[in-house]
Amino acid sequence: GAGGSIGRELCRQIARRDPAELVLLGHGENSIFEILLELKDDYPSLALHPVIADIRNAERLDQVFREHQPQVVFHAAAHKHVPLMEINVVEAVTNNVLGTNNVVQAARAHSVERFVLISTDKAVRPSSIYGATKRLAEMIVLHAARQAHGAFTVVRFGNVLGSRGSIIPRFKSQIASGGPVTITHPDMYRFFMTIPEAVYLVLQAASMENGGETFVLNMGEPVRILDLAEDLIRLSGLEPQRDIEIAYTGIRPGEKLTEELWDEGTPLVPTLHPDIS
């Protein structure tokens, strides 16, 4: 998932830390090409290997792992749009579940030292196809940790600000076109964090892992989406419901009003980092 919003930022922050080599594996050639160009400009001496591959193709993954022998794998490849996955169940399952299993098996077969799955608050008591596939992906990774006694781990967090297809770019575009700004429900709350902040904490968690942990990032207090929309309208120099209308469209299939970062009753254990449990 090196071409996605989280994947790209992982590449940037890892490149800064001077790795021996960095393999950028992704399904979309354009997004891999873009991050490759950016990293080449910023880190001309870094050994970069762009790989176009689909994680559903186990044979291709095995070939890539055999060729590059990665020591650390960050798995951020997933279909993530909740309403889209409700109507594309086969794609969600083959990519997020079977694809994850393929990556885990390739990592085990080629003695990867550390494996980190990027997961989501939607995997907690899932109400959507997307959430259920990510919960299964977590279970596959944690099962591998138990079987292989290796450093296979999960890092779980909520929404990131400004990722592709996320809410803020959408609101900004709706405001720019004069409204309305569309919200599913007035009482919809979500956890938010910036992409660089989330990725920094993912790398911190990766350095602490022994294997089999689910790390949860401290996302702060959940934000009401209505408040976020009103703030963005005001920051654009306009007044909500006077200059820009706010319209409610109804909760979409699979969506919850509020998200959770861990199962109720699961004990949270602090780590050496105050923002990671």
Side-chain angles (χ1 to χ4, degrees):
S5 309
I6 297 291
R8 284 189 195 207
E9 184 60 24
L10 272 166
C11 292
R12 291 182 192 111
Q13 292 196 26
I14 291 166
R16 260 178 241 149
R17 288 161 171 80
D18 197 27
E21 298 178 47
L22 184 55
V23 180
L24 318 171
L25 189 149
H27 187 213
E29 58 168 346
N30 291 328
S31 50
I32 293 295
F33 184 64
E34 284 165 12
I35 188 63
L36 177 66
L37 287 184
E38 181 189 319
L39 293 174
K40 271 185 172 172
D41 285 346
D42 294 344
Y43 306 95
S45 59
L46 175 58
L48 293 165
H49 306 285
V51 176
I52 306 302
D54 190 326
I55 60 170
R56 286 178 265 216
N57 186 336
E59 221 172 291
R60 171 78 173 123
L61 275 182
D62 188 65
Q63 177 195 6
V64 171
F65 274 66
R66 192 180 312 117
E67 182 184 344
H68 294 287
Q69 295 295 318
Q71 287 171 285
V72 183
V73 172
F74 290 92
H75 174 33
H79 287 319
K80 64 170 189 174
H81 288 287
V82 171
L84 277 182
M85 291 310 103
E86 290 297 304
I87 51 175
N88 289 279
V89 180
V90 171
E91 293 298 305
V93 172
T94 53
N95 192 68
N96 298 1
V97 181
L98 304 182
T100 295
N101 193 51
N102 290 341
V103 181
V104 165
Q105 294 312 320
R108 285 187 61 184
H110 296 281
S111 306
V112 163
E113 291 167 26
R114 284 174 186 269
F115 184 104
V116 180
L117 170 73
I118 304 298
S119 194
T120 167
D121 52 4
K122 292 170 183 63
V124 180
R125 293 200 300 160
S127 61
S128 62
I129 296 295
Y130 167 62
T133 60
K134 288 299 280 187
R135 183 59 168 229
L136 283 165
E138 288 187 357
M139 291 164 79
I140 288 165
V141 171
L142 298 176
H143 180 65
R146 286 194 297 274
Q147 278 196 317
H149 305 292
F152 284 71
T153 196
V154 170
V155 181
R156 190 191 283 161
F157 50 91
N159 295 29
V160 286
L161 291 166
S163 64
R164 283 190 304 184
S166 71
I167 202 164
I168 287 193
R170 181 169 163 75
F171 282 173
K172 282 164 93 170
S173 128
Q174 289 177 334
I175 292 164
S177 58
V181 167
T182 55
I183 296 173
T184 51
H185 192 283
D187 294 323
M188 181 77 72
Y189 283 79
R190 288 292 179 269
F191 291 104
F192 284 105
M193 188 176 261
T194 67
I195 297 174
E197 204 179 357
V199 166
Y200 166 75
L201 290 174
V202 167
L203 292 176
Q204 294 295 313
S207 72
M208 292 186 232
E209 66 169 306
N210 296 309
E213 304 95 340
T214 298
F215 290 104
V216 176
L217 305 190
N218 176 7
M219 302 288 296
E221 290 302 311
V223 175
R224 190 161 74 136
I225 303 298
L226 175 59
D227 296 339
L228 184 65
E230 289 177 341
D231 287 347
L232 273 177
I233 292 167
R234 290 194 184 100
L235 284 169
S236 308
L238 302 162
E239 199 48 46
Q241 301 297 23
R242 189 191 70 196
D243 304 313
I244 300 284
E245 185 196 344
I246 294 174
Y248 299 109
T249 56
I251 297 177
R252 296 172 299 184
E255 280 189 327
K256 296 180 188 174
L257 279 179
T258 55
E259 301 285 2
E260 307 149 283
L261 282 158
W262 63 91
D263 285 300
E264 219 178 308
T266 304
L268 267 196
V269 181
T271 68
L272 296 171
H273 197 290
D275 287 328
I276 305 172
S277 302

